[in-house]
Amino acid sequence: MPETLNLNYYYGNEADQYSFYRIPKILLTDRRYKGVSLEAKVLYGLLLDRMGLSARNGWLDDNGRVFLYFTQEEVMAMLDCGKDKATKLFRELEGIGLVERKKQGQGHPARIYVKNFILEPEHSAPVQTAENQQSRPLDSAAVKTAEKPQSARRKTSGQECGISAPNNTDINKTEKSDTDLSITPPAPSAVSSPAGKRAPRRMGLDEMESYRELILENIDYDILLERNP
């Protein structure tokens, strides 16, 4: 475990007087960089710092791209690692596309191009709305199990059939009941109407039966008179 150092505090803006190696925040926050090791991200920050120096020195290729030199020995010294580790970190940055190395021949260090770390924003799935949803017919199972009433596709008939399909309903057959049992029309009865006139009234069954018996008795009496004048 390293020895604890007796360090002083920062006061005011004292931290601004020092220089720092910069590691872009996006390397730590964007999920597309999550597979890159922390040591490789530190190495990328060292290469960014060296690229600023190369740009000031005019180290540009024929296409105006800035390049730099950063040997494995320098990586080993700054990150306190072995040669295999330094090689692995360079390959990790090349694999993700943050660094591109071009060999310059035997005895010359490779040119290193540091790529821009800015990424295009990820496109999320489009939100389904009432405008972009296309209507489609529902099968019978969807209609039966839907929580809200939904319309099913209407079955179509042939072109020769011009009559719409009837509703599938049960119709109860009813018989008309003859409630008037008398053989004679009912006699008018005095019932007051709203206009003050007397309107006919229907007789009850008992009253009609009595009236019919009275008629029959009169008929029988007339017949007897005809036979016995």
Side-chain angles (χ1 to χ4, degrees):
M1 184 175 179
E3 179 184 358
T4 302
L5 304 177
N6 185 19
L7 301 175
N8 202 356
Y9 297 97
Y10 282 113
Y11 296 95
N13 297 325
E14 289 181 350
D16 295 337
Q17 61 183 319
Y18 304 107
S19 59
F20 299 91
Y21 290 110
R22 295 172 296 173
I23 300 177
K25 291 182 180 180
I26 193 173
L27 298 185
L28 303 175
T29 57
D30 196 288
R31 68 166 190 83
R32 288 167 285 183
Y33 288 128
K34 291 297 183 182
V36 182
S37 67
L38 185 59
E39 290 174 305
K41 293 174 182 178
V42 172
L43 176 56
Y44 183 81
L46 298 178
L47 296 175
L48 277 180
D49 182 77
R50 182 65 62 86
M51 187 181 65
L53 178 61
S54 298
R56 290 191 295 270
N57 292 333
W59 288 9
L60 307 174
D61 64 7
D62 295 337
N63 296 320
R65 299 174 300 185
V66 180
F67 65 89
L68 57 93
Y69 295 106
F70 207 95
T71 63
Q72 289 186 343
E73 289 73 15
E74 290 181 278
V75 176
M76 294 165 56
M78 299 191 71
L79 298 182
D80 192 20
C81 65
K83 183 176 181 179
D84 293 341
K85 183 70 172 182
T87 302
K88 178 179 178 297
L89 295 178
F90 267 122
R91 289 178 178 175
E92 191 174 350
L93 293 178
E94 285 183 290
I96 195 65
L98 288 172
V99 164
E100 181 181 348
R101 290 189 298 176
K102 291 186 177 182
K103 295 182 179 180
Q104 299 299 309
Q106 187 67 26
H108 299 280
R111 279 185 177 183
I112 299 176
Y113 292 87
V114 180
K115 296 293 193 66
N116 194 334
F117 56 85
I118 299 299
L119 295 173
E120 293 292 333
E122 292 185 286
H123 298 286
S124 58
V127 179
Q128 295 293 330
T129 61
E131 288 75 12
N132 60 21
Q133 286 181 345
Q134 296 182 353
S135 60
R136 57 183 180 88
L138 298 174
D139 54 14
S140 58
V143 175
K144 292 179 180 179
T145 59
E147 294 181 359
K148 296 181 179 180
Q150 302 184 43
S151 299
R153 171 185 282 185
R154 181 179 177 182
K155 295 182 179 179
T156 57
S157 57
Q159 295 180 355
E160 65 277 3
C161 181
I163 302 176
S164 302
N167 294 330
N168 186 16
T169 57
D170 294 331
I171 300 177
N172 295 327
K173 295 182 180 181
T174 59
E175 299 294 340
K176 294 183 179 181
S177 300
D178 188 4
T179 57
D180 190 359
L181 302 179
S182 66
I183 60 175
T184 58
S189 177
V191 178
S192 299
S193 63
K197 297 181 180 180
R198 302 180 67 85
R201 179 181 63 86
R202 294 182 64 88
M203 293 183 178
L205 293 178
D206 295 338
E207 189 176 0
M208 287 190 295
E209 186 65 24
S210 300
Y211 189 78
R212 188 174 68 169
E213 291 178 358
L214 179 60
I215 294 175
L216 292 176
E217 290 178 359
N218 293 332
I219 293 176
D220 293 339
Y221 180 76
D222 292 340
I223 293 174
L224 290 175
L225 291 177
E226 291 176 358
R227 291 181 179 178
N228 302 307

